Amino acid sequence: NVLRCDVTGKVLMKCFLSGMPDLKLGLNDKIGLEKESEMKSRPAKSGKTIELDDVTFHQCVNLTRFNSEKTVSFVPPDGEFELMKYRITEGVNLPFRVLPTINELGRTRMEVNVKVKSVFGAKMFALGVVVKIPVPKQTAKTNFQVTTGRAKYNPSIDCLVWKIRKFPGQTESTLSAEIELISTMGEKKSWTRPPIQMEFQVPMFTASGLRVRFLKVWEKSGYNTVEWVRYITKAGSYEIRC
């Protein structure tokens, strides 16, 4: 069970504008919405707010305006750049639940069952899902079945590597494996059971819940700008203890 979880996030910007446009970005962070409510002398709109525990900005951000207005105002450089990084520790919505069961049957056999559930919306999907399930170094033979994707034993990292190209939301997949171990004459050492690791990308999902409320562009030449926002969640250190 996860009692407390840290999530670090990034806001990336891609900008191709001539001249020196001014941009302003509004987020659903708690302090920013409270500040906006004070400035407009009216109650804040209802909706989910996010407490940011730590924020760092690109050098183009006007920190004075952020401290006073709690909106991100900046003149962007051309191309793609990292506008801000943030960290939260409360209200994290993890995209996957992993339920592992490992049974050691004597000294030479093991049974492994791993169920992975996607808890994000049914209309969303994860891409490039990889689940690395550790096995003992003395593994001699593996036999497994998966309900989705493909799996193989990789002896160089002592793991069963399970790959799922596309994982829809609100679904589950299972890997079941039988492991045969090399029998040793010496005293059996206890296996430490390293954590299961996951890799993935989930477009249009944010584990932190941080959202862009508005994006405004002021360009002196009157150029008609096209503004759009895309969300994506990527696994960092995503580990599950067995």
Side-chain angles (χ1 to χ4, degrees):
N1 295 325
V2 179
L3 299 179
R4 186 178 181 88
C5 181
D6 287 1
V7 164
T8 56
K10 298 179 181 179
V11 176
L12 302 178
M13 295 290 298
K14 187 176 288 187
C15 187
F16 300 101
L17 294 172
S18 60
M20 298 287 286
D22 289 322
L23 280 80
K24 181 180 286 189
L25 189 71
L27 304 171
N28 63 330
D29 63 297
K30 183 176 181 180
I31 296 177
L33 286 173
E34 289 176 350
K35 186 67 176 180
E36 182 180 288
S37 177
E38 291 176 5
M39 294 177 67
K40 293 182 177 180
S41 299
R42 63 189 184 198
K45 293 181 180 180
S46 60
K48 184 177 181 181
T49 59
I50 306 300
E51 288 224 36
L52 301 179
D53 297 305
D54 188 24
V55 181
T56 56
F57 291 107
H58 187 275
Q59 60 186 12
C60 70
V61 174
N62 187 325
L63 296 180
T64 301
R65 293 187 66 178
F66 177 77
N67 290 331
S68 60
E69 301 175 13
K70 296 304 178 183
T71 56
V72 184
S73 301
F74 57 101
V75 177
D78 285 340
E80 184 174 315
F81 66 99
E82 184 178 287
L83 178 67
M84 63 178 281
K85 291 194 296 186
Y86 64 90
R87 182 174 62 88
I88 70 167
T89 55
E90 300 292 343
V92 179
N93 295 316
L94 299 180
F96 289 99
R97 289 184 62 202
V98 180
L99 307 172
T101 303
I102 299 177
N103 296 318
E104 298 184 46
L105 308 175
R107 296 189 177 187
T108 59
R109 288 183 60 231
M110 290 179 56
E111 289 181 350
V112 176
N113 187 280
V114 178
K115 181 181 293 185
V116 180
K117 295 183 177 182
S118 56
V119 296
F120 46 87
K123 294 183 179 180
M124 294 186 281
F125 52 84
L127 298 174
V129 177
V130 179
V131 186
K132 296 179 181 179
I133 305 161
V135 294
K137 289 184 178 295
Q138 64 269 30
T139 296
K141 184 179 179 181
T142 61
N143 181 26
F144 44 80
Q145 294 180 334
V146 293
T147 57
T148 310
R150 296 181 179 181
K152 67 178 182 178
Y153 168 54
N154 188 334
S156 64
I157 57 175
D158 299 316
C159 284
L160 302 178
V161 181
W162 180 17
K163 295 183 179 181
I164 303 172
R165 185 178 61 86
K166 189 174 182 178
F167 202 129
Q170 300 297 310
T171 60
E172 63 182 46
S173 296
T174 302
L175 177 145
S176 300
E178 295 180 357
I179 313 294
E180 293 186 16
L181 307 175
I182 298 173
S183 179
T184 58
M185 297 299 294
E187 183 181 353
K188 180 186 176 183
K189 294 182 179 179
S190 60
W191 183 43
T192 58
R193 296 194 181 188
I196 295 173
Q197 298 179 326
M198 282 193 72
E199 302 171 9
F200 55 81
Q201 293 186 11
V202 188
M204 302 311 295
F205 173 82
T206 58
S208 66
L210 190 69
R211 293 281 173 175
V212 175
R213 295 189 299 112
F214 64 82
L215 173 61
K216 298 179 181 180
V217 180
W218 290 272
E219 221 279 332
K220 293 181 180 179
S221 65
Y223 182 80
N224 186 24
T225 59
V226 178
E227 305 148 13
W228 54 274
V229 177
R230 181 181 66 160
Y231 302 97
I232 186 167
T233 291
K234 296 182 180 180
S237 178
Y238 203 93
E239 298 182 342
I240 300 92
R241 289 287 175 182
C242 299

